[in-house]
């Protein structure tokens, strides 16, 4: 009888990392590893790190150190770093953090089982050596698909699991193992990014933009539906570019209705859209297709023209407001969220006032505000006109206060509306809650039920908004909605 090998995956960062962890889980289970939930119950703890901003990097290091503390006190024998921070820093991270028994890059994912077995057996696998992943594929998007098979692209794994791991799904099961029972799952639409925003290092360690084939996205969605998933969220670094390397920049417009037609799927959500790349046809599909959420995760980042140009981005306050007017003209209750950077090098008080003008007029449902800090390897890190840290901190606090007030006001505008809510949690102490179409997982608030005694996780119910708690909505399930939802789920 083969020796029992256990592994736990600890995931930090964004939804893209969650997909990558489930691909790693699929690979490991296919090779006989037993997946466990808690690191203390695992022979090997694999920490899928985030390498985007300083706070996320600190969280990743803390998670690695926490897992390392388990060694010698239980089952855990090794701690291994994977993910964006491991890919970005590789040998540098290994030298700075000797507590990690291995630092593996994306190129190691296809052989993750062998790598972990080597480390678990006391061997040493050379730490990943970082490189600019933008140089691994042709500059021309049209030439990338033929070369993509030779480059490690997390979340783009082959479409078949070995026989027996997903018998209900047969040959279309993806190389993926779900790590929780949530009715929501993310699906990789693409990887990498071709934009060159001056503050962002992601393209250097995630590489150039590569779309997944529509058939792979559809097959994975069908498999997820068979696992009980009701909502899928399409994720990538830039979903508005989907299809450009497949010869059709409008491919997302045709794919979305097909995804919405998958049996068992109740909602399709698209994340991370670039305002400068929004097309009338894409807006039409997002606002009019049944089961496709009229949800717009728009990466504005700022609205003052001078700051945006310094960021290597496009647009201004009035153009952004026109875009929102167009969206709401087609879907008045559409959800919109965005992130913003304040204190960017060269940002003036007039620039900040312009951003505040936009925020006051935009009626966003969720707003993330971040104070600028240098990211090594980025163009912005070389700029001379940096603001003092105390100025950045003051502006961050000022805009954050405004954002909190504005999203609370926007939530109050929804009082009296009927929202369609996917039930995500039912707890005897905390009650039941879920999310409406304008609320993405983790980032945009939730709906708390006043009468959720009989709802169950995974049901899609209609509810009337009767109050708010900050960005969260308080709602009551409408009479008859629960019975209809249960009938639809049968």
């Amino acid at each position: 009888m083969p020796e029992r090998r256990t592994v736990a995956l600890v995931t930090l960062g964004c939804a893209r990392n969650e997909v990558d962890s489930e691909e790693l889980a699929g690979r490991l289970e296919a090779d006989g590893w037993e997946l466990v939930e808690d690191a203390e119950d695992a022979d090997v703890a694999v920490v899928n790190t985030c390498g985007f901003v300083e706070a996320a990097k600190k969280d990743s290091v803390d998670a690695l150190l926490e897992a390392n503390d388990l060694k010698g006190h239980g089952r855990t024998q090794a701690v291994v770093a994977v993910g964006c921070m491991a890919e970005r820093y590789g040998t540098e991270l290994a030298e700075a953090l000797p507590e990690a028994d291995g630092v593996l890059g994306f190129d190691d994912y296809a052989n993750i089982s062998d790598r972990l077995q080597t480390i678990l057996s006391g061997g040493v696998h050379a730490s990943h050596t970082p490189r600019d992943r933008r140089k691994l594929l042709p500059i021309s998007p049209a030439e990338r698909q033929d070369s993509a098979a030779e480059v490690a692209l997390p979340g783009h794994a082959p479409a078949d699991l070995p026989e027996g791991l997903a018998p209900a799904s047969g040959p279309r099961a993806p190389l993926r193992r779900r790590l929780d029972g949530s009715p929501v799952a993310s699906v990789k639409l693409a990887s990498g990014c071709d934009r060159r925003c001056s503050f962002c290092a992601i393209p250097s360690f995630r590489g150039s933009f590569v779309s997944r084939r529509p058939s792979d996205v559809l097959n994975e969605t069908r498999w997820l539906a068979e696992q009980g998933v009701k909502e899928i969220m399409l994720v990538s670094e830039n979903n508005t570019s989907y299809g450009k390397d497949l010869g059709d920049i409008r491919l997302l417009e045709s794919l979305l209705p097909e995804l919405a037609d998958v049996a068992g799927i109740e909602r399709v959500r698209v994340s991370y859209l670039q305002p400068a790349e929004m097309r009338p046809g894409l807006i039409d599909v997002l606002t009019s297709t049944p089961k496709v959420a009229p949800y717009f995760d728009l990466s504005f980042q700022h609205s003052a023209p001078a700051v945006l140009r310094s960021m290597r981005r496009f647009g201004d306050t009035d153009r952004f407001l026109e875009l929102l007017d167009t969206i709401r003209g087609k879907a008045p209750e559409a959800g919109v969220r965005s992130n913003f950077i304040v204190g960017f090098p060269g940002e003036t008080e007039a620039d900040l006032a312009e951003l505040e003008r936009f925020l006051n007029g935009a009626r966003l449902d969720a707003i993330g505000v971040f104070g600028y800090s240098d990211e090594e390897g980025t163009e912005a890190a070389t700029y001379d006109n940096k603001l003092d840290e105390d100025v950045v901190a003051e502006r961050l606090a000022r805009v954050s206060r405004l954002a909190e007030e504005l999203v609370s006001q926007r939530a109050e505008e929804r009082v009296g509306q009927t929202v369609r809510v996917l039930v995500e949690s039912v707890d005897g102490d905390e009650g039941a809650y879920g999310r409406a179409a304008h609320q993405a997982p983790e980032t945009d608030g939730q709906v708390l039920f006043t009468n959720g005694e009989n709802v169950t996780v995974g049901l899609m119910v209609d509810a009337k908004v009767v109050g708010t708690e900050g960005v969260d909505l308080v709602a009551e399930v409408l009479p008859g909605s629960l019975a209809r939802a249960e009938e639809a789920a049968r």
Side-chain angles (χ1 to χ4, degrees), residues 34-55:
E34 180 182 341
L35 299 167
V36 296
E37 186 173 344
D38 297 322
E40 62 185 357
D41 299 325
D43 296 316
V44 184
V46 178
V47 181
N48 192 348
T49 61
C50 179
F52 182 37
V53 294
E54 287 304 319

Side-chain angles (χ1 to χ4, degrees), residues 8-12 17 21 37-39 45-49 63-64 67 80 82 179:
L9 285 144
V10 180
T11 307
L12 295 96
N17 255 16
S21 284
E37 186 173 344
D38 297 322
V46 178
V47 181
N48 192 348
T49 61
L64 287 163
V80 174
V82 298
L179 293 174

Side-chain angles (χ1 to χ4, degrees), residues 233-450:
M233 183 166 74
L234 300 177
V235 298
S236 75
E237 280 73 24
N238 177 10
N239 282 329
T240 32
S241 284
Y242 180 67
K244 72 176 187 179
D245 54 325
L246 294 172
D248 185 1
I249 191 61
R250 294 175 177 80
L251 196 54
L252 184 55
E253 285 94 306
S254 58
L255 177 61
L256 284 172
E258 293 186 72
L259 293 170
D261 283 342
V262 171
I265 296 298
E266 295 290 337
R267 180 183 288 156
V268 178
R269 184 184 304 277
V270 184
S271 68
Y272 211 85
L273 302 166
Q274 287 289 343
E277 297 180 33
M278 289 301 296
R279 306 175 290 275
L282 180 55
I283 295 173
D284 287 342
V285 170
L286 287 169
T287 54
S288 65
T289 307
K291 295 188 179 181
V292 173
Y295 174 80
F296 293 81
D297 175 14
L298 292 162
S299 176
F300 289 120
Q301 301 298 346
H302 212 285
S303 73
V307 176
L308 286 168
R309 302 305 173 268
S310 186
M311 290 179 170
R312 304 297 182 200
R313 296 178 65 84
F314 306 95
D316 56 48
T317 296
D318 292 332
R319 272 190 274 184
F320 290 164
L321 291 175
E322 288 174 6
L323 173 60
L324 295 178
D325 285 344
T326 298
I327 291 168
R328 291 180 176 131
K330 297 176 180 295
E333 297 177 7
V336 186
R337 64 118 41 231
S338 192
N339 293 325
F340 299 89
I341 298 173
V342 297
F344 195 78
E347 180 190 64
T348 65
E349 278 291 340
D351 293 329
L352 192 66
E354 185 69 0
L355 174 58
E356 291 172 325
R357 180 171 81 89
F358 172 68
L359 292 174
N360 277 296
R363 296 170 56 232
L364 301 178
D365 292 278
I367 300 171
V369 187
F370 301 89
Y372 173 81
S373 62
D374 284 340
E375 274 296 310
E376 58 187 289
T378 64
E379 180 184 358
T382 68
Y383 290 174
D384 294 327
N385 50 350
K386 307 275 178 59
L387 304 184
D388 290 341
E389 289 185 6
D390 57 343
V391 174
V392 175
E394 186 278 326
R395 292 183 180 183
L396 174 61
R398 170 176 154 187
V399 177
S400 295
R401 286 193 299 270
L402 175 63
E404 185 175 354
E405 177 183 340
L406 291 173
V407 295
S408 295
Q409 290 175 4
R410 178 61 180 142
E412 290 169 1
E413 293 178 16
R414 294 190 181 274
V415 173
Q417 293 180 2
T418 296
V419 291
R420 194 152 176 75
V421 183
L422 175 62
V423 181
E424 289 193 355
S425 177
V426 179
D427 185 284
D429 296 325
E430 299 181 4
Y433 66 85
R435 290 176 301 100
H438 69 281
Q439 297 169 317
E442 307 294 336
T443 59
D444 301 342
Q446 58 195 21
V447 177
L448 313 172
F449 294 108
T450 61

Side-chain angles (χ1 to χ4, degrees), residues 45-108:
V46 178
V47 181
N48 192 348
T49 61
C50 179
F52 182 37
V53 294
E54 287 304 319
K57 294 178 209 171
K58 181 181 183 304
D59 288 344
S60 295
V61 170
D62 289 346
L64 287 163
L65 293 174
E66 183 178 340
N68 182 70
D69 289 342
L70 297 173
K71 291 192 293 189
H73 300 284
R75 187 179 181 95
T76 309
Q77 301 174 52
V79 175
V80 174
V82 298
C84 290
M85 190 175 182
E87 174 65 37
R88 184 176 181 184
Y89 296 105
T91 51
E92 181 182 341
L93 176 62
E95 293 170 1
L97 198 69
E99 292 85 353
D101 298 287
V103 175
L104 306 181
F106 298 152
D107 293 333
D108 291 304

